[in-house]
Amino acid sequence: MTIRACTVVLLLVCAHVFAAEPSFGPIIEGYGPALKSLLSDSAYRTRFGIENPNTELLDKLASAGVRFYVCGQSMAFGGVVKEELSDKAKVALSAMTMLTVLQSDGYALLH
């Protein structure tokens, strides 16, 4: 998930998309196995014994204008509570509803 996100952000920066549309910014929706990438360091350490290796990358992506959302359904299935998420992540009802709303607002879904 994170390598693809960096590639997309880099391409958008090179294409001057952010300069042309300052209100535009990529959104990353974490669901399923990708949910663990958006855990806080302490929650990641509790679950996996190490700090979240994605924290620095999340910080850099966030500073480049990327917004992060987590699927609430994946959280429920995985036993993750909001307090365990990175401070960069917000909770969406579900990935499916979030993606549908974003696409109706003009966003494109990239896998």
Side-chain angles (χ1 to χ4, degrees):
M1 171 181 98
T2 51
I3 292 173
R4 167 85 57 179
C6 290
T7 301
V8 170
V9 170
L10 180 60
L11 290 172
L12 292 172
V13 168
C14 289
H16 305 288
V17 171
F18 294 135
E21 293 290 336
S23 63
F24 172 78
I27 296 174
I28 294 176
E29 174 81 29
Y31 59 93
L35 173 63
K36 67 182 179 187
S37 298
L38 294 166
L39 292 174
S40 67
D41 280 331
S42 61
Y44 200 96
R45 189 179 322 105
T46 299
R47 290 173 181 261
F48 305 106
I50 60 170
E51 289 190 353
N52 188 340
N54 300 294
T55 298
E56 183 180 354
L57 182 57
L58 294 175
D59 291 343
K60 288 180 180 181
L61 287 170
S63 70
V66 176
R67 291 178 286 162
F68 300 95
Y69 287 87
V70 174
C71 172
Q73 302 302 306
S74 292
M75 288 176 62
F77 184 75
V80 175
V81 296
K82 185 177 180 180
E83 293 75 26
E84 292 181 287
L85 297 176
S86 163
D87 62 350
K88 307 285 187 277
K90 295 181 182 178
V91 178
L93 174 64
S94 72
M96 187 64 72
T97 56
M98 184 73 176
L99 295 172
T100 302
V101 169
L102 289 172
Q103 288 179 68
S104 70
D105 287 344
Y107 281 81
L109 174 62
L110 302 174
H111 287 282

